[in-house]
Amino acid sequence: MKRGRVAYAGAIHGCEPHERGLRLDDGRVLAETEVVWLTPVELGTVFAVGLNYADHARELASAKPAEPLLFLKGFGAVAGHRATTRRPSGVEFMHYECELAVVIGRTARHVPRDQALPYVGGYSVANDYAIRDYLENYYRPNLRVKNRDGCTLLGPWLVDATDVADPQNLALRTAVNGKITQRGNTRDMIFGVAELIEYLSSFMTLAPGDVILTGTPQGVVNVNAGDEVVTEIDGIGRLVNTLVDDAAFGLAPAR
């Protein structure tokens, strides 16, 4: 089952996929472009995992981590399907990151990895942009790298966990302006979904609506204002985003 959330005609609606776009819970069928897409769940805490694919760590000339490298996302950093994301003027390298997003479905505390997957409510697609110019180091990215307004996209759908046979065998890909630039598979994660839940729940309580962004494989390239970036995971969904410049946000060039 796939479920989403959108704003339409002054209200928030649940929805599901339809051959013509989406069907609202009240039965109306709309095109994807007729609505404003929200995140598919009301967000709790958003965790992001850095360097969780060995090939991506090598791509960044970084050592393979011995334990998960985690940081948090502010609420304003996350936007939905078909949102626009600002690429500040003056930066040299801004790149996408296609990631499997894990949404916690029930309270998890001190959960061993062999019992962890039943705590997942569902899965979604994320695109977590980074600006390399602002990076202090790959182990502790500063706020300007990973917590910019609208720098992380999530959606369009939440796929029920029971419909995903194996979260560690899902193909990922990214296309920039229709050209495939990134391919990978969740089997290549250093720390799998169950391990991440075990690790996090060992020292803090995970709650329904919490989201774990599980990292990206190699293949990140610079993107520019005007580019359409599509991140896709087999069986989970296709997340569309467009980059825009400062002027689109009514801002003077960044300094």
Side-chain angles (χ1 to χ4, degrees):
M1 182 175 66
K2 292 183 176 182
R3 296 285 300 164
R5 295 167 64 241
V6 298
Y8 178 73
I12 294 175
H13 303 265
C15 64
E16 60 186 20
H18 187 273
E19 60 184 7
R20 298 204 303 273
L22 65 143
R23 186 199 304 272
L24 301 182
D25 286 347
D26 62 16
R28 284 179 288 181
V29 175
L30 302 168
E32 281 196 9
T33 53
E34 291 184 85
V35 300
V36 175
W37 289 85
L38 308 175
T39 57
V41 294
E42 293 189 45
L43 299 177
T45 302
V46 178
F47 305 90
V49 186
L51 300 179
N52 199 29
Y53 287 75
D55 57 3
H56 184 52
R58 289 193 299 270
E59 180 179 41
L60 301 181
S62 184
K64 179 179 175 179
E67 65 179 62
L69 302 173
L70 288 144
F71 53 95
L72 301 179
K73 289 280 185 182
F75 181 77
V78 187
H81 179 52
R82 293 194 174 276
T84 56
T85 295
R86 174 181 167 230
R87 188 192 196 280
S89 63
V91 302
E92 294 186 1
F93 198 166
M94 178 173 175
H95 63 78
Y96 53 78
E97 294 184 0
C98 179
E99 307 195 24
L100 177 67
V102 178
V103 181
I104 299 299
R106 58 192 179 101
T107 302
R109 185 169 182 266
H110 300 305
V111 177
R113 72 185 64 180
D114 62 354
Q115 299 175 29
L117 291 185
Y119 288 84
V120 178
Y123 300 92
S124 193
V125 183
N127 179 4
D128 189 19
Y129 285 104
I131 298 178
R132 294 268 192 94
D133 304 51
Y134 303 150
L135 197 63
E136 293 176 349
N137 59 64
Y138 294 112
Y139 292 88
R140 188 171 55 197
N142 69 30
L143 291 175
R144 288 202 299 169
V145 177
K146 286 289 190 176
N147 271 284
R148 306 181 68 83
D149 287 347
C151 73
T152 304
L153 295 309
L154 184 68
W157 309 111
L158 178 70
V159 179
D160 193 278
T162 59
D163 293 330
V164 179
D166 183 2
Q168 301 305 152
N169 188 24
L170 299 171
L172 308 86
R173 71 193 63 86
T174 300
V176 180
N177 301 324
K179 178 182 178 182
I180 299 293
T181 55
Q182 181 184 40
R183 291 185 184 275
N185 193 291
T186 58
R187 74 169 72 95
D188 298 321
M189 288 181 189
I190 298 170
F191 306 102
V193 173
E195 291 172 275
L196 292 169
I197 292 171
E198 177 185 62
Y199 179 80
L200 282 163
S201 71
S202 71
F203 59 85
M204 63 185 299
T205 301
L206 300 177
D210 287 352
V211 178
I212 306 171
L213 307 182
T214 57
T216 198
Q218 69 176 354
V220 296
V221 301
N222 181 57
V223 286
N224 295 291
D227 287 345
E228 181 186 73
V229 180
V230 178
T231 48
E232 187 171 12
I233 302 177
D234 285 355
I236 307 299
R238 179 178 183 272
L239 176 63
V240 179
N241 173 251
T242 303
L243 291 161
V244 297
D245 60 16
D246 292 336
F249 279 75
L251 297 170
R255 290 182 288 178

